[in-house]
Amino acid sequence: LAIATVLSSVAMIDLRIFGLAGRGVSMAETAARFIPWVWWSLLVLAVTGITLITGEPVRSLTNPAFQLKMVLLAIAIAVTIYFQLTLRRNAAFWDSSVSSAGLIRVAAFVTLLLWFAIAVAGRWIAYMILSYPA
């Protein structure tokens, strides 16, 4: 459920960037509405993830799918922090250039793909465990 909340929040921000939703709302207002959901969901994911890892740490931590998920998650967190910082520094930039900047749209699409990849890697963890000897 937490990853779905992150994905839907990121999707809403991306839809605003693409100009497909929330055109009458500033990017700062859109971020203020949806970014907290990202951070709270990540907190839930961290707590539940730590709980799962505690059960069998060696099996979880050595799993390539888990390692991939952690790398992708670190990148996604860095991108989210960067987005928040640039939005705080210059909110007008996001409202004026989002409609015309192709690079920002590409970055938004890549970010959405990144979060989908995190979700897929998370599901893949269970299937990678099957290949480990008991």
Side-chain angles (χ1 to χ4, degrees):
L1 184 61
I3 193 67
T5 304
V6 172
L7 282 169
S8 60
S9 297
V10 171
M12 291 306 296
I13 293 168
D14 286 354
L15 287 172
R16 168 62 180 85
I17 289 172
F18 295 133
L20 299 173
R23 293 181 195 174
V25 180
S26 72
M27 183 57 77
E29 291 171 321
T30 302
R33 180 174 180 186
F34 293 107
I35 290 291
W37 287 99
V38 172
W39 293 121
W40 283 108
S41 297
L42 283 174
L43 179 63
V44 170
L45 287 170
V47 169
T48 58
I50 289 169
T51 304
L52 287 171
I53 291 169
T54 303
E56 294 187 71
V58 173
R59 192 168 84 165
S60 298
L61 296 174
T62 59
N63 188 319
F66 174 80
Q67 295 167 355
L68 174 65
K69 180 180 177 177
M70 291 301 106
V71 168
L72 294 175
L73 190 57
I75 294 168
I77 289 170
V79 168
T80 303
I81 290 170
Y82 181 75
F83 169 72
Q84 279 189 285
L85 291 175
T86 58
L87 186 62
R88 285 183 187 156
R89 286 187 197 136
N90 191 359
F93 165 79
W94 285 94
D95 289 325
S96 64
S97 65
V98 164
S99 61
S100 61
L103 188 57
I104 291 174
R105 289 180 177 201
V106 169
F109 182 72
V110 169
T111 302
L112 188 59
L113 287 178
L114 180 63
W115 284 105
F116 273 115
I118 291 167
V120 169
R123 291 302 309 142
W124 196 18
I125 292 169
Y127 300 107
M128 293 295 290
I129 288 174
L130 295 176
S131 64
Y132 288 101

